[in-house]
Amino acid sequence: MHRLSSSVRVVLFLLAISTGPVALAADGKQVLLLHSFGTEMRPWSDYARGIREELNRQSPWPLTITDQSVISARYSNSKLEKPFVEYLAALFAEQTPDVIVSVGAPAAAFVQRNRGQLFLSTPIVLTTLESRRIQYSSLTRNDVVVPIQIDYKAVIANILKVLPDTRHIAVVNGTSPNEKFWSNLIHEEAARLSHHVEFIFWDSLSFDDISKEAARLPPHSAIIWEGMSVDAAGVVHDGNDAFKTLHAVANAPIFGYTEPLIGQGIVGGPFNAVYDTSRTAAAVVVRILGGETPSDIRVPPLPFSTPRFDWREIKRWGISESRLPLGSEIVFRDRTAWQQYRWQIAMISTVVLLQAVLICVLLFERRRRQVAEVQARQRSAELAHINRYSMAGELTTTIAHELNQPLGAILTNAEAAEVLIKSTSPDLDEVAEILADIRRDDQRANDVIGRLRSLLRREPLEFKRIDFNDVARDTLQFLAALAIARKADLANLIGLTPLPIRGDVVQLQQVILNLIVNAMDAMSDVSIADRRITISSARDGNAAEVSVSDLGPGIPKEKLKDVFEPFFTTKPHGMGMGLSIARTIVEAHGGRLFAENSAKGGVTFYVRIPLAE
Ligand code: ADP
């Protein structure tokens, strides 16, 4: 900031630092960019920068773009203009610019006023000025206007649309001639709405005082930022500091209509788009440099663009997005988690999804396996049952023989009792003895049938705490008759110390039965004297072991494992299922069934079941 009194010194300083007449490349073009309020005053600085960028982009020729600011535009003091005109004349003495581009109304007015003394024949493109600021009467054949339209009605309507409860609108504006022009237009609009809203004009206050007022506005207030070049105290405000200060202290939302302010702290609304103006202005300049007559080029005023709002300000002032005009653009929105971590989220989701799919597949597989296991268990139970039936066939003759004995004894005893009773003095004690014998034989026959029935019964597996020795002993007894028929000697080496295990009696009986019948089969060609099958039991670590040894031919070493495979048989009428079923049963008990050839001939089968706790 500096005081008006120093302005003359500034002009002289500018003259002093000029490096002499502007030189130019041989085939290049020279453009003079004439600013209104210095090169850093927003929003004009943004327009100038946009025009420069667009010129460099669109021009087919190399360009020399020289920036100059109409330093006198801020003040009403017309005396300042003369030395500045002289300075420009000196600067471009040798090479007049091919085109002059004025940025903003003051620069346009300056160049129109002074073109007689400066560059009479140089085309001028007047940009970034409102159509109402153009002195059409002063336009020559060499002038083109790229006008913009400032619509205060729309600016105020926007405030009342997004904040319908607004009761007070304060207007921030400076006191330079240009700023006064706009104040008058805003006053006109305000007068139309005075019965709805109270308009507060701060143009008679210093900017310091304006800042204080802005901090204590009543509720339901809004601020319109028009500009602040020179305040009522004569203080010149360069750059963007005044707006920043106001934004920092104001207790009400600020509205404006120039694009560069969006993002600086205004709420937003319809606005003059820098890019549109810059691009249009640059296109006009290029056409003129290409030889077109300026007055032939007509550019209609560029209206406000579609409303644009700053999301942070909308949130700050609690403005609902539904209140924004249809089609509004919202900028500076906080990026959502998805926008910030899109890749990470996508990757994690993919992994989770894959995991979920994998889990589903595994669960499905597990279910299938469970079903298959249940089916397999059912099949093996059925097979075991069939195997027992086939065994029963083999046992039929011996069972019949076993039943014959008690039945025969019962008959003999009954006949003896009859004879005794018919005698004149029957010995009742003897009759009682005979009856007891009958009862005992009947019990024996009953036991034989009971054992057969339990072998053939078809019941689900029932794991109970049992003594493995008892199982072996019962099986031995069951096969006693068959052994006699087969002329085999069953040697009982079953221990007396109990071997507690958890298991199903019928199925374990079936295993031992299979092993003994196989041993009998294996020894059918062995001399009767050597047909000895030894059934032993022992405790082996944590397991109960029952073994069945024979003195048959043994099993070739390479076949010791094959004999447990289903359908492996060397017998003419064999099924090859007995050992396979036996192993399945033992494994279902958590145990092991295996065979070893004995050194003295024959083979020993071992059944090992874990001892119960
Ligand atoms: P199968 O008795 O119907 O043949 P197994 O599965 O019970 O079916 O037996 C399979 C085969 O194992 C028998 O055919 C036989 O070759 C062999 N085997 C079983 N036990 C003995 C044994 N004690 N001595 C020699 N070979 C045996």
Side-chain angles (χ1 to χ4, degrees), residues 37 73-76 173-181 229-231:
F37 300 104
R74 288 190 182 117
Y75 321 111
S76 320
N173 197 10
T175 56
S176 67
N178 186 52
E179 289 167 320
K180 278 184 179 151
F181 177 85
S229 176
V230 182
D231 71 15

Side-chain angles (χ1 to χ4, degrees), residues 1-5 7 36-37 41 44 70-77 106 172-180 183 202-208 210 225-239 242:
M1 282 192 262
H2 54 263
R3 293 260 160 197
L4 175 62
S5 55
S7 55
S36 286
F37 300 104
M41 188 72 179
W44 295 277
V70 182
I71 197 74
S72 53
R74 288 190 182 117
Y75 321 111
S76 320
N77 187 351
V172 178
N173 197 10
T175 56
S176 67
N178 186 52
E179 289 167 320
K180 278 184 179 151
S183 270
W202 284 332
D203 36 12
S204 60
L205 301 180
S206 71
F207 185 68
D208 282 348
I210 290 176
W225 171 268
E226 170 50 43
M228 184 48 63
S229 176
V230 182
D231 71 15
V235 179
V236 174
H237 297 269
D238 275 329

Side-chain angles (χ1 to χ4, degrees), residues 255-268:
F255 290 82
Y257 56 84
T258 53
E259 188 173 5
L261 288 176
I262 303 171
Q264 300 290 316
I266 63 163
V267 174

